[in-house]
Amino acid sequence: MPRRTAPVPFRVRPLLTLTMVTSTAAGLLSLLGAPEAVAAEPSAATGPSATAGGTTAGGSTAAVRPRDKLTFTVAHSGRAAHDGSYTLRCHPPGGRHAAPSRACAALDRATSQGRDPFKPVAAGATCTMIYGGPATARVTGTWQGRKVDARFSRTNGCEVARWNSLVPALPRTSS
């Protein structure tokens, strides 16, 4: 004979329905990439290396990663389709960038081992006099919990190497 469960009292049903709807909505927002105002982000005091209170399915403590969002404004790249402004979100990849997964991977590589790809070329650096073309770019936003406001050009060998280290986040140029 099948086991019968006790009926849920009428006054508890709305609460159960509200809980189910709220849980479903929260899950969908996390899958779709909730806006920064809704998503829980670490404060400046906790920084990118803080750990979450929960654990992953494997039982290890999960690291909290700040939302990475950058805006690229590119001009004179030699390809009209690459000029203009576009956004890039990473972790998870998204935005209006043509190849967000590859761009995020390039930025992750460029920032590995504590390097800062947005740092300008040092004053007085010895650079080859190789002109890489008129392309310019400005990158603003947040990367790994830090504000970014960087300018890129291709006016000498150092600047060309700096630009190329971020391809495909920055476009390849035709020069």
Coordinates of all heavy atoms in Angstrom, one line a residue, residues 21-33:
V21 N 9.8 30.0 -6.0 CA 9.9 31.0 -7.0 C 11.2 31.8 -6.8 O 11.9 32.1 -7.7 CB 8.7 31.9 -7.0 CG1 8.9 33.1 -7.9 CG2 7.5 31.1 -7.5
T22 N 11.5 32.2 -5.5 CA 12.7 33.0 -5.2 C 13.9 32.2 -5.6 O 14.9 32.7 -6.1 CB 12.7 33.4 -3.8 OG1 11.5 34.1 -3.5 CG2 13.9 34.3 -3.4
S23 N 13.9 30.9 -5.2 CA 15.1 30.1 -5.5 C 15.3 29.9 -6.9 O 16.4 29.9 -7.4 CB 14.9 28.7 -4.8 OG 14.9 28.8 -3.4
T24 N 14.2 29.7 -7.7 CA 14.3 29.5 -9.1 C 14.8 30.8 -9.8 O 15.7 30.8 -10.6 CB 13.0 29.1 -9.7 OG1 12.5 27.9 -9.1 CG2 13.0 28.9 -11.2
A25 N 14.3 32.0 -9.3 CA 14.8 33.2 -9.9 C 16.2 33.5 -9.6 O 17.0 33.9 -10.5 CB 13.9 34.4 -9.4
A26 N 16.7 33.2 -8.4 CA 18.1 33.4 -8.1 C 19.0 32.5 -8.9 O 20.0 32.9 -9.4 CB 18.3 33.1 -6.6
G27 N 18.6 31.3 -9.1 CA 19.3 30.4 -10.0 C 19.4 30.9 -11.4 O 20.5 30.8 -12.0
L28 N 18.3 31.3 -12.0 CA 18.3 31.9 -13.3 C 19.2 33.1 -13.4 O 19.9 33.3 -14.4 CB 16.9 32.2 -13.8 CG 16.1 31.0 -14.1 CD1 14.6 31.4 -14.4 CD2 16.6 30.2 -15.2
L29 N 19.1 34.0 -12.4 CA 20.0 35.2 -12.5 C 21.4 34.9 -12.4 O 22.3 35.5 -13.1 CB 19.6 36.1 -11.3 CG 18.3 36.9 -11.4 CD1 18.0 37.7 -10.2 CD2 18.4 37.9 -12.6
S30 N 21.8 33.9 -11.7 CA 23.2 33.5 -11.6 C 23.7 32.9 -12.9 O 24.8 33.1 -13.4 CB 23.5 32.6 -10.4 OG 22.9 31.3 -10.7
L31 N 22.8 32.1 -13.6 CA 23.2 31.6 -14.9 C 23.3 32.6 -16.0 O 24.1 32.5 -16.9 CB 22.1 30.5 -15.3 CG 22.1 29.2 -14.6 CD1 21.0 28.4 -15.0 CD2 23.4 28.5 -14.8
L32 N 22.4 33.6 -15.9 CA 22.4 34.7 -16.9 C 23.4 35.8 -16.6 O 23.6 36.7 -17.5 CB 21.0 35.3 -17.0 CG 19.9 34.3 -17.5 CD1 18.6 35.0 -17.4 CD2 20.2 33.9 -18.9
G33 N 24.0 35.8 -15.5 CA 25.0 36.9 -15.1 C 24.2 38.1 -14.6 O 24.0 39.0 -15.4

